[in-house]
Amino acid sequence: MKKLTFLKSLLLAIGLLAGNIGAWAQTCDISDDFTTLTASTSYASVETTAHWKGTNTAVLQGGTTNSNPTFTFIGSDATTKALCINGKTTAVGVITSPTLSGGCSSISFKYGHPYSEANGAKFTVEIKQNGTTVWSEQVVNTSMTLNTAYTYSKTGLTITGDFTLVITNNSPSNSTSNKDRVAIWGICISKYSGGTSPAATPTFSPAAGTYTSEQSVTISCTTEGASIYYTTDGTDPNNTGNGTLYSTPISVTSTTTIKAIAYASGYDPSAIASATYTINTAPTITVTEVTLPAFSATAGSSQDQTITVNGTNLTGNITLALSGTDAAAFSLSESSITPTAGSVTDKVITITYTPPAPGSHSATLTLSSSGATDVTRDLTGTATLAKPTVNTASNIGKTALTLNWNAVTGATSYEVNVYTKTTGTVTATDLFISEYGEGSSNNKYIEIFNGTGANVDLSNYVLKQAYNGGGWDVDITRSLPLTGTLSNGSVYVIANDGASETVKAKANLIVPYSTTEQGGRVVTFTGNDAIGLFKNGSLIDLFGNPLSNADISVAGYTTWASDHTLVRKSSVTSPTSDWSLSSGTDETTSQWLGYASDTWTYLGSHTMDGAGTINNPISGSPFTTTETSLQVSSLTAATTYYYTVTAKNGSYVSPASDEASASTLGTATPNVSVQGIFARNGKVIVTAPAAGESIEIFNAVGQRLVSKLSTAGENEIAVPAKGILLVKAGSQVTKVMMP
């Protein structure tokens, strides 16, 4: 017998056939009926008469003749056919059949030679699921007897779910005759486990692996109606307490192992599937504050702000650096942050603005760390000149004296206003808005002045806001009735409850923000919200145009109403409901003076020309000097002079200093009892004919030791000095010896 050569290819797919194939019993045997074969003399006779004992016999051969015959199984699947191909071709013969359901625990079948020249077989038995081989075994039998049945059997399989059985010949023939025929019949497949098969094993999407970002993992099962339970802590899941019922995709933000099992009615539990997702997230830096408010400080002083820094997956320190033209005006509490286990949590960094001179300053803060995207924040600051502090006058004589003050950082010159005071008689026609504050954050307030010469009942007045040009009567939250009494010469300050403590300390009324309460939004205005003062329902004074949402223009400046303080000029003596008259077209025609944001120097009082006390500048005032003292001459003896100092640097002007006074000397007399001025028991005694007379006491070098107003009759004044003292009572100056 000629040695068997390899067939080209064999694929045998199993349908749900009658008899042994279709039974799906727990076990399956091949009967002795299949142990003896009937010889065949030609391939055609094998194909057409099925000489082989048993049913459902598949015959395959190699060679060049009888190519592509068909063979019909005698089972329940009448469409399944065997295909025979030429062994010399590269084509693969294919037999298609339905996929079998339920799983497989064992396979057995008979095979043999139906043609005399064949003497060997070599083929592979495979089980495939979804086109992928899940189990295979190669069968080699090189010594086979013609017309003899051989048995193949494989037990102990644990294939679950739907599958297809494929048998492939690994040795196609190169013969030119009809040789190498082989028959396979009596195929029996046993079901997996006793009576029921397991549900299909769950699958994950995306597949397990390493990722650089968060993953959304879905779990699925091909078994219809299956419920899936999963864990993320590495333990095996079940449906009896250890596991979560899957319903929506799982968010995986860090390295996690997911295990899943499926349960379905009529099926055993599936095998446990496991997938590990390694998340190598890039390092990140975050700063809670998206923007920082503008800094504000006087030259030589400082202001602090803080930021909160966080970081994750860090591999190195976070470095903080300042850059830009004005970087030197800013400083940081720390330049490096060390993470703990790769993280930084709510680290507070203080940024300090210390301007060396007045002006606008800017810089960039950059936070960086290896592998992380840099985070930057813009820093801006505005510096003004500090309010000067005056010192006691010196070198006091009858017609001259020296005025002194402390130096102001950043100032290049000083302006000194020197004046005397007289009592005026001018009165205002009604209350009016004397100051408007629209500063940083919630530093917002309105000041109202009473210069009428009499106390005023505020219950007749209402303060209103016209929001974004919407007119006066929008809703009650923008209408604030006033109460109480405002005395003559005094101001009434209404402030936002979020304003600076400095502002609130001078406020008569603090208004909490509210979207429902009466007046709750009156002092939450911005630079385009007009403010009106109403008396008995009629508008008497205003700031801004109530019918325009454009930025309010003051003195020709469209920016003054935002981040500025506006003070009514002292020349204004009456309210006006004409905004064009009040605003003016330039600084000369306007009724308002503009100052930098958060200037509160003038808050809490107001000056109106001709009302109360009138200031009378002396000849040459104001004086300009680069020094911190000023010699003033050509003065009148026995006269009190007042002065304020303002620091300057180019266009930058500081608030005026507190008012100070100094008195020139009069004609001294040795008569210690003149006008009742004398020393007694270590005290100075001044007898005044009426209350309110000015009393000032100086030492021998002109330093003022006491300044007060008299009461009618004898005034007993303790003085912390000895020796010669000069006492000025009204216009009289007397020398007193204090023992």
Side-chain angles (χ1 to χ4, degrees):
M1 185 186 305
K2 188 174 180 180
K3 183 178 180 181
L4 174 68
T5 58
F6 293 122
L7 297 178
K8 174 65 178 178
S9 174
L10 168 65
L11 290 101
L12 179 61
I14 305 306
L16 298 177
L17 306 180
N20 291 338
I21 295 178
W24 286 103
Q26 173 64 23
T27 60
C28 183
D29 295 326
I30 302 176
S31 69
D32 290 340
D33 291 341
F34 301 108
T35 59
T36 304
L37 303 180
T38 301
S40 172
T41 57
S42 70
Y43 179 79
S45 65
V46 173
E47 175 190 350
T48 58
T49 63
H51 286 246
W52 301 87
K53 289 185 177 182
T55 57
N56 309 317
T57 303
V59 181
L60 301 99
Q61 77 167 31
T64 58
T65 62
N66 294 317
S67 180
N68 298 325
T70 60
F71 180 86
T72 302
F73 285 107
I74 311 173
S76 60
D77 186 358
T79 64
T80 304
K81 299 178 179 180
L83 181 65
C84 185
I85 65 171
N86 189 322
K88 290 185 178 181
T89 65
T90 58
V92 177
V94 177
I95 303 171
T96 59
S97 67
T99 298
L100 304 181
S101 300
C104 173
S105 64
S106 66
I107 304 168
S108 58
F109 56 82
K110 292 287 187 176
Y111 67 94
H113 282 309
Y115 191 68
S116 60
E117 292 188 14
N119 64 356
K122 181 180 180 182
F123 52 89
T124 300
V125 182
E126 294 179 274
I127 289 181
K128 291 189 176 183
Q129 291 182 314
N130 297 320
T132 300
T133 299
V134 296
W135 172 84
S136 68
E137 183 175 71
Q138 190 174 74
V139 179
V140 178
N141 190 340
T142 58
S143 179
M144 297 174 63
T145 302
L146 181 64
N147 300 331
T148 300
Y150 296 90
T151 301
Y152 171 80
S153 179
K154 179 65 178 178
T155 60
L157 298 175
T158 56
I159 309 302
T160 62
D162 299 347
F163 71 98
T164 299
L165 178 64
V166 178
I167 303 175
T168 305
N169 194 323
N170 302 129
S171 301
S173 173
N174 290 323
S175 173
T176 58
S177 62
N178 297 332
K179 300 177 181 180
D180 300 331
R181 284 187 284 263
V182 65
I184 297 174
W185 74 99
I187 298 173
C188 179
I189 300 173
S190 295
K191 210 173 196 183
Y192 177 82
S193 81
T196 58
S197 60
T201 303
T203 58
F204 303 92
S205 180
T210 299
Y211 298 89
T212 59
S213 63
E214 175 183 341
Q215 296 297 302
S216 181
V217 179
T218 60
I219 312 176
S220 59
C221 177
T222 59
T223 300
E224 185 175 357
S227 297
I228 301 172
Y229 289 81
Y230 71 92
T231 60
T232 58
D233 61 0
T235 61
D236 289 343
N238 56 49
N239 65 349
T240 58
N242 189 47
T244 301
L245 178 63
Y246 175 80
S247 59
T248 59
I250 304 166
S251 178
V252 179
T253 59
S254 60
T255 298
T256 302
T257 296
I258 303 176
K259 290 187 174 182
I261 187 171
Y263 293 86
S265 177
Y267 293 84
D268 285 343
S270 74
I272 295 176
S274 179
T276 298
Y277 297 87
T278 301
I279 308 297
N280 291 332
T281 306
T284 59
I285 303 170
T286 58
V287 175
T288 302
E289 294 73 18
V290 178
T291 59
L292 277 75
F295 289 82
S296 178
T298 58
S301 66
S302 63
Q303 183 193 28
D304 291 340
Q305 291 192 47
T306 61
I307 60 173
T308 303
V309 181
N310 287 274
T312 57
N313 303 306
L314 299 172
T315 59
N317 289 359
I318 297 178
T319 300
L320 300 90
L322 295 166
S323 61
T325 305
D326 304 314
F330 301 87
S331 60
L332 304 171
S333 59
E334 296 182 45
S335 60
S336 182
I337 304 172
T338 301
T340 300
S343 296
V344 170
T345 303
D346 293 338
K347 177 65 176 180
V348 176
I349 298 294
T350 300
I351 306 170
T352 302
Y353 174 55
T354 311
S360 297
H361 305 96
S362 62
T364 299
L365 169 62
T366 302
L367 297 88
S368 58
S369 185
S370 178
T373 300
D374 288 354
V375 175
T376 60
R377 291 292 183 268
D378 294 329
L379 309 179
T380 59
T382 301
T384 57
L385 290 167
K387 171 183 172 180
T389 302
V390 296
N391 295 324
T392 304
S394 60
N395 302 321
I396 297 175
K398 292 182 180 181
T399 60
L401 48 74
T402 299
L403 308 178
N404 305 293
W405 58 91
N406 293 331
V408 173
T409 301
T412 56
S413 64
Y414 301 92
E415 184 178 274
V416 185
N417 288 277
V418 185
Y419 48 91
T420 59
K421 292 184 177 183
T422 57
T423 301
T425 59
V426 175
T427 57
T429 59
D430 210 326
L431 306 184
F432 59 81
I433 299 172
S434 53
E435 189 164 331
Y436 163 96
E438 205 290 311
S440 63
S441 188
N442 288 315
N443 291 322
K444 305 176 192 298
Y445 60 86
I446 295 295
E447 179 187 88
I448 298 171
F449 173 65
N450 178 14
T452 63
N455 295 341
V456 173
D457 181 3
L458 292 177
S459 64
N460 297 318
Y461 296 82
V462 175
L463 188 69
K464 294 186 177 182
Q465 179 200 111
Y467 177 66
N468 283 350
W472 296 119
D473 296 316
V474 178
D475 58 58
I476 63 169
T477 66
R478 303 186 191 277
S479 179
L480 179 67
L482 304 182
T483 59
T485 299
L486 181 58
S487 59
N488 179 51
S490 299
V491 296
Y492 190 81
V493 178
I494 304 162
N496 187 300
D497 70 339
S500 164
E501 294 301 320
T502 301
V503 172
K504 291 194 288 187
K506 296 185 178 183
N508 301 92
L509 177 62
I510 297 173
V511 181
Y513 175 79
S514 173
T515 58
T516 57
E517 297 297 323
Q518 178 89 46
R521 293 194 282 198
V522 164
V523 281
T524 57
F525 49 81
T526 58
N528 69 340
D529 303 319
I531 301 295
L533 180 63
F534 289 74
K535 180 180 181 181
N536 296 323
S538 297
L539 178 68
I540 62 171
D541 197 32
L542 81 168
F543 181 92
N545 183 351
L547 300 179
S548 172
N549 65 354
D551 290 341
I552 298 173
S553 178
V554 187
Y557 295 102
T558 59
T559 59
W560 268 19
S562 297
D563 298 322
H564 279 79
T565 295
L566 281 299
V567 177
R568 209 73 171 260
K569 289 181 178 178
S570 61
S571 58
V572 177
T573 59
S574 299
T576 177
S577 59
D578 184 346
W579 174 242
S580 61
L581 175 64
S582 180
S583 171
T585 58
D586 54 32
E587 294 186 55
T588 300
T589 60
S590 178
Q591 294 185 358
W592 302 85
L593 296 172
Y595 297 92
S597 175
D598 297 338
T599 298
W600 303 320
T601 305
Y602 309 100
L603 181 61
S605 64
H606 184 69
T607 299
M608 186 178 76
D609 293 347
T613 301
I614 300 173
N615 297 338
N616 304 295
I618 68 172
S619 177
S621 179
F623 302 93
T624 299
T625 179
T626 59
E627 305 297 328
T628 56
S629 63
L630 176 69
Q631 177 73 25
V632 184
S633 56
S634 300
L635 303 178
T636 301
T639 301
T640 299
Y641 290 88
Y642 300 86
Y643 66 99
T644 60
V645 181
T646 302
K648 291 188 172 184
N649 183 332
S651 61
Y652 294 95
V653 180
S654 76
S657 69
D658 292 338
E659 183 183 72
S661 65
S663 299
T664 53
L665 301 179
T667 302
T669 174
N671 184 352
V672 296
S673 62
V674 173
Q675 290 193 2
I677 301 176
F678 56 92
R680 183 180 67 199
N681 298 328
K683 297 180 179 179
V684 175
I685 307 300
V686 178
T687 302
E693 183 173 330
S694 174
I695 300 175
E696 294 180 296
I697 302 175
F698 302 84
N699 61 18
V701 296
Q703 292 178 317
R704 185 172 60 185
L705 305 177
V706 175
S707 177
K708 63 176 293 182
L709 297 178
S710 69
T711 59
E714 187 175 277
N715 294 264
E716 187 176 73
I717 305 168
V719 181
K722 297 183 182 299
I724 297 176
L725 301 176
L726 299 176
V727 182
K728 180 177 182 298
S731 60
Q732 179 65 48
V733 178
T734 302
K735 183 184 297 183
V736 173
M737 175 62 72
M738 181 66 69

